Amino acid sequence: GAVVSQHPSRVICKSGTSVKIECRSLDFQATTMFWYRQFPKQSLMLMATSNEGSKATYEQGVEKDKFLINHASLTLSTLTVTSAHPEDSSFYICSAPNWETQYFGPGTRLLVL
Amino acid sequence: DAKTTQPPSMDCAEGRAANLPCNHSTISGNEYVYWYRQIHSQGPQYIIHGLKNNETNEMASLIITEDRKSSTLILPHATLRDTAVYYCIVRPEAAGNKLTFGGGTRVLVKP
């Protein structure tokens, strides 16, 4: 199957700082990628759709100015959590479609102190 | 997208078949049934998908009822490494469409 990577796998930062998470499709190209967030013992919640060459589409209730998404190329999307606060601590997961299937990255665990 | 209903949890014995049910009574004609699983602290892993016909791959079998209102994922010989949360998702055909995750079924494989 297709491979999606994320970097970093885990990050700890201080409140008020910004954190960038990268999502790469390693062996295929993706004009669209998706960003999810997962809190402990909960299911994945879609945050936004990342579109190569155009603006991201955000789900209702997700602040676009706080969660900046850039789809820089056909294999890379980045999510920047700006001015992070402890409530932003979560597991962030990206996915990318290839043919009929979406493939997920391994996730990035963010802890904001 | 059609909503799915799954039991919140189930146990199964190592080496036995695990049958995971999913109800999707409002599924539309162009919607596929997808199954993913998420092992603790990892990203979801694709298992299998189908439209109308039963499907089988190296991981599992998918049985879809004739009216397509429900399906069953079968893990033929469950191992301890199959312990995970299993998600049944329905969505339109295009892979670029987003996936909406429900609560899934937490499967615990016991020795």
Side-chain angles (χ1 to χ4, degrees):
Chain A
V3 179
V4 176
S5 70
Q6 283 184 240
H7 178 81
S9 59
R10 58 195 315 141
V11 57
I12 300 173
C13 70
K14 292 182 179 180
S15 184
T17 61
S18 294
V19 174
K20 180 186 284 189
I21 302 170
E22 294 185 348
C23 176
R24 294 182 185 271
S25 55
L26 297 186
D27 49 2
F28 66 100
Q29 294 181 334
T31 56
T32 302
M33 292 184 178
F34 300 92
W35 287 96
Y36 295 82
R37 179 168 53 180
Q38 185 176 34
F39 292 107
K41 299 191 183 301
Q42 295 186 21
S43 188
L44 283 78
M45 293 296 295
L46 180 67
M47 299 176 66
T49 302
S50 173
N51 303 300
E52 191 270 336
S54 64
K55 292 182 179 180
T57 304
Y58 292 82
E59 295 298 302
Q60 191 172 9
V62 178
E63 300 175 56
K64 62 180 181 180
D65 295 329
K66 180 170 182 61
F67 299 100
L68 301 180
I69 291 173
N70 182 27
H71 202 131
S73 73
L74 290 172
T75 59
L76 173 64
S77 174
T78 60
L79 169 68
T80 300
V81 183
T82 62
S83 186
H85 292 287
E87 57 265 31
D88 298 323
S89 297
S90 189
F91 192 47
Y92 291 86
I93 308 168
C94 69
S95 73
N98 187 35
W99 295 100
E100 292 183 331
T101 303
Q102 282 197 35
Y103 295 91
F104 287 80
T108 296
R109 191 161 299 282
L110 169 63
L111 177 60
V112 184
L113 301 176
Chain B
D1 294 351
K3 183 179 177 180
T4 62
T5 303
Q6 298 177 254
S9 65
M10 62 183 295
D11 294 345
C12 62
E14 185 181 20
R16 306 290 289 270
N19 297 307
L20 282 61
C22 179
N23 182 284
H24 32 80
S25 59
T26 60
I27 192 170
S28 300
N30 68 339
E31 288 184 314
Y32 283 70
V33 179
Y34 280 77
W35 283 83
Y36 285 81
R37 72 180 183 184
Q38 186 178 26
I39 296 170
H40 183 62
S41 294
Q42 297 182 23
Q45 177 189 22
Y46 166 77
I47 301 174
I48 200 168
H49 75 283
L51 182 63
K52 290 190 291 187
N53 299 323
N54 297 336
E55 302 288 343
T56 294
N57 62 19
E58 65 278 4
M59 290 184 67
S61 294
L62 174 60
I63 308 299
I64 303 175
T65 58
E66 193 168 340
D67 62 7
R68 303 210 320 125
K69 293 185 176 182
S70 65
S71 60
T72 300
L73 179 74
I74 301 173
L75 307 177
H77 304 286
T79 71
L80 299 181
R81 288 176 294 180
D82 292 323
T83 291
V85 179
Y86 287 75
Y87 295 99
C88 169
I89 302 168
V90 296
R91 70 162 177 82
E93 179 177 2
N97 288 324
K98 57 189 178 184
L99 297 175
T100 301
F101 285 79
T105 296
R106 189 172 297 274
V107 174
L108 176 61
V109 180
K110 296 182 174 179

